[in-house]
Amino acid sequence: MRLRTIATLTSQAVRNLKRPTCMTTTVVVMACMLALSLFTLVAVNLTVIGRQLQAGVELRVFLLPDAGPDAVASLERSIRAIPGVSRISYVPKDEALRRLEAQLGDENGLFIEDMPYNPLPDSFDVSVRRADEAESIARRIQELEGVEDIVYGREMVRNLVGALRVMWAATGAIAVVVLVGASMVVANTIKLSVLAHNREIETMRLVGASDAFILFPFVVEGLLIGVIGAAVASLMVFAAYSLLIRWIGSAAPFLKLVADPAWLASAALSLVGFGAVVGLSGTIISVRRHLRVDVQDV
Amino acid sequence: MYGVTKVYPGDVVALDDVYLTVEKGDFVFIVGQSGAGKSTLLSLIYRGTVPTRGQVFVDGRNIVRLRRREVPLLRRKIGAIYQDFKLLPDRTVYDNVAFALEVIEAPPKDISRKVSQALEMVGLSGKATCLPDQLSGGEQQRVAIARAVVNDPLILVADEPTGNLDPETSNGIMALLSDVNCRGTTVIMATHNQAIVDRMRRRVVEIEAGRIVRDERQGTYCHEA
């Protein structure tokens, strides 16, 4: 197809966009994209916060009282060899008592001075790379000789991992619903557009227009609906998100939201790309059903 | 056409074992009652439909076996005009005629020249900027003829082109079609208009219930005993 023809057909598709049905569909696509982008942003930020929390997941491994230096060294080697363990440090019982004293503060720490002996055992502080591996690592450590008990925020880790899974599953489901739902809406709009141009299409066929020539304006129309809807949604969401980042930065500086400009730009572009896919899918559905009629129907 | 039969859904037989040969440059009237199969016969020529059985050759090529993408190339060799004109109501006379060249991506210079020539031929140069609604029925049909011939087709297929027109306007349209024929285009026209057929004395093919029952050189509308 020649460039001049492409330009002419594209301008025809742009003119079609001014029809009320196209406007409405663009708004519907925009609303779907808004929902999708909001869910994605929440899921991404929860993941980042989750990773920060996961990095803080630490197992405290208490040793049996009679473990000698060789047994401690051997145990340390065994724990370090477990996949998923990122760091391990030995905490002798005296150090543990000092930490406890510091945690309790001056007033509450007084009773420690009255204790006849140090009741705390030697221990290891073990950091894990991923929170969802903490439970299995704890089980393996528990099986090692010389270990008395292991303490870590089991429930917190379970809840965190579960919440992230649900969040990503919901985001995936929303993406599928948006893809299918918005595509169907676009398909209906293109169908109306095809019907509105029925006479023109019939004449085109009779004077020898190729399928590509006939289909092109509808493909461009569907593509533009998807891209414009997604672009407007993306502008709205990321403008609001920028304001939120600024506000959170001053109101709750401990909350670190994703604010990398390169990531935000690529997310916005991905959303526009997704809009293009939605628009094209809708057009293909519609065109297959309503335009590519068999020759007998002409 | 060789042994062409066309059966529509519901076992409606539109054409039944039809054999017909039309020479290049011929002018043929297809006559017969409503529902006899005239429109189906014309439709087979530009592959608006395909036969249930039999073969259709146009310009030496069997068009029944054409691939989908080859159909537009066939239609560019065939001009078609209809009783209801099939003009685009939101486009001017000029744009309606130019449309036939735009869809085949003709160069702009050629479009301008050929459209002007076609409008001059049908006597509508002065109405190039009018919309179809602003024209009379006869003028609209002349626009349709201009659109059909602007691409210099080998064949002009006309399905009752004077069906909605008064006798005087019909004569004007027939004069135009004769003119097109004189320039070398084969014209195949389905009609109910007895006066025109009897006056022009061209080849007449009569169809009855899907079968060719008469094929006369310099014939008349009704069979002369």
Side-chain angles (χ1 to χ4, degrees):
Chain A
M1 206 181 279
R2 288 179 187 163
L3 271 177
R4 185 174 52 83
T5 310
I6 290 172
T8 307
L9 295 178
T10 304
S11 70
Q12 184 189 325
V14 171
R15 277 200 306 276
N16 287 348
L17 284 180
K18 291 176 187 162
R19 292 189 355 261
T21 46
C22 285
M23 296 270 200
T24 311
T25 307
T26 309
V27 171
V28 170
V29 170
M30 189 192 76
C32 292
M33 293 299 165
L34 270 177
L36 178 64
S37 50
L38 284 175
F39 257 79
T40 307
L41 277 177
V42 171
V44 165
N45 277 295
L46 276 183
T47 304
V48 169
I49 292 168
R51 280 199 189 127
Q52 288 165 6
L53 291 174
Q54 283 177 6
V57 170
E58 204 166 65
L59 314 180
R60 182 150 297 163
V61 181
F62 295 109
L63 309 184
L64 290 169
D66 54 354
D70 289 346
V72 170
S74 161
L75 194 56
E76 185 174 351
R77 279 196 300 277
S78 302
I79 294 173
R80 202 182 289 283
I82 295 173
V85 171
S86 62
R87 193 168 52 82
I88 177 168
S89 59
Y90 178 61
V91 182
K93 54 200 272 185
D94 297 340
E95 169 66 18
L97 189 66
R98 268 198 299 281
R99 285 186 189 175
L100 180 64
E101 229 173 333
Q103 273 177 11
L104 293 174
D106 289 343
E107 287 177 19
N108 297 325
L110 285 175
F111 84 96
I112 289 176
E113 290 174 7
D114 299 333
M115 287 196 300
Y117 67 98
N118 179 357
L120 300 177
D122 294 331
S123 62
F124 285 116
D125 284 346
V126 178
S127 296
V128 297
R129 286 197 189 90
R130 291 168 46 137
D132 55 354
E133 290 176 352
E135 197 164 350
S136 64
I137 290 172
R139 268 201 305 275
R140 291 186 66 174
I141 294 174
Q142 188 70 67
E143 289 166 2
L144 297 173
E145 203 173 324
V147 174
E148 183 175 40
D149 194 14
I150 300 174
V151 174
Y152 68 101
R154 188 180 310 230
E155 284 307 308
M156 188 276 283
V157 167
R158 278 184 183 169
N159 291 341
L160 177 65
V161 170
L164 285 178
R165 278 188 189 142
V166 168
M167 201 63 218
W168 277 112
T171 305
I174 293 259
V176 172
V177 168
V178 164
L179 180 63
V180 175
S183 296
M184 294 312 290
V185 175
V186 172
N188 273 328
T189 305
I190 299 297
K191 175 186 164 186
L192 290 176
S193 197
V194 168
L195 292 175
H197 292 89
N198 225 2
R199 204 178 166 91
E200 202 168 339
I201 292 165
E202 187 188 3
T203 308
M204 280 183 183
R205 286 194 187 285
L206 289 173
V207 296
S210 64
D211 279 349
F213 189 95
I214 296 171
L215 296 178
F216 190 82
F218 299 107
V219 172
V220 173
E221 192 179 329
L223 188 69
L224 286 177
I225 286 173
V227 167
I228 292 172
V232 174
S234 139
L235 277 176
M236 287 167 71
V237 166
F238 289 102
Y241 186 69
S242 302
L243 290 176
L244 182 73
I245 290 172
R246 213 174 293 168
W247 180 74
I248 291 270
S250 56
F254 54 88
L255 264 180
K256 299 288 179 202
L257 296 185
V258 176
D260 178 15
W263 184 88
L264 290 175
S266 68
L269 281 177
S270 303
L271 194 69
V272 173
F274 191 69
V277 171
V278 164
L280 280 179
S281 318
T283 306
I284 289 164
I285 293 167
S286 189
V287 158
R288 281 175 71 114
R289 278 191 196 160
H290 304 287
L291 196 58
R292 290 179 66 88
V293 288
D294 198 59
V295 67
Q296 281 93 332
D297 301 323
V298 174
Chain B
M1 286 181 192
Y2 296 93
V4 168
T5 296
K6 176 66 186 180
V7 182
Y8 286 112
D11 289 335
V12 178
V13 180
L15 290 176
D16 185 9
D17 200 28
V18 167
Y19 288 81
L20 177 67
T21 304
V22 177
E23 297 298 330
K24 190 173 186 304
D26 224 346
F27 194 121
V28 185
F29 286 116
I30 311 290
V31 299
Q33 292 181 334
S34 295
K38 303 187 295 294
S39 296
T40 299
L41 189 142
L42 295 187
S43 182
L44 285 165
I45 297 168
Y46 59 85
R47 210 173 183 272
T49 189
V50 286
T52 311
R53 278 190 301 278
Q55 307 301 328
V56 180
F57 289 83
V58 172
D59 196 25
R61 179 114 197 245
N62 186 346
I63 63 165
V64 176
R65 293 183 187 158
L66 285 185
R67 276 176 266 182
R68 186 185 168 88
R69 63 186 162 83
E70 292 174 313
V71 174
L73 303 178
L74 165 77
R75 291 186 182 152
R76 291 172 194 181
K77 296 178 186 171
I78 300 169
I81 51 178
Y82 303 88
Q83 188 173 350
D84 62 353
F85 320 131
K86 293 196 191 301
L87 298 177
L88 301 175
D90 58 342
R91 298 194 187 207
T92 63
V93 165
Y94 181 94
D95 289 340
N96 262 286
V97 179
F99 189 68
L101 295 171
E102 283 166 0
V103 300
I104 61 170
E105 300 188 68
K109 273 186 182 173
D110 284 4
I111 293 178
S112 173
R113 180 175 52 80
K114 286 185 169 183
V115 172
S116 299
Q117 283 173 355
L119 288 178
E120 196 179 324
M121 188 193 97
V122 299
L124 287 175
S125 295
K127 300 208 168 176
T129 55
C130 292
L131 290 170
D133 284 352
Q134 297 169 313
L135 305 177
S136 68
E139 286 172 330
Q140 288 190 49
Q141 193 58 291
R142 282 196 274 158
V143 177
I145 292 171
R147 185 183 62 193
V149 300
V150 73
N151 198 26
D152 301 321
L154 292 174
I155 304 168
L156 183 65
V157 170
D159 195 355
E160 301 192 30
T162 59
N164 283 335
L165 307 176
D166 60 69
E168 194 180 335
T169 310
S170 297
N171 288 338
I173 295 299
M174 291 317 297
L176 268 177
L177 293 182
S178 288
D179 192 21
V180 170
N181 180 238
C182 286
R183 294 169 190 229
T185 301
T186 308
V187 178
I188 305 172
M189 173 175 158
T191 185
H192 284 298
N193 193 321
Q194 182 170 359
I196 285 172
V197 176
D198 290 347
R199 182 170 50 77
M200 288 185 68
R201 284 282 177 163
R202 298 297 187 109
R203 183 179 171 191
V204 175
V205 173
E206 185 176 352
I207 302 180
E208 197 177 293
R211 285 180 160 269
I212 292 180
V213 294
R214 179 165 61 101
D215 187 349
E216 289 179 342
R217 292 262 145 213
Q218 298 180 328
T220 54
Y221 192 84
C222 298
H223 181 57
E224 288 178 323

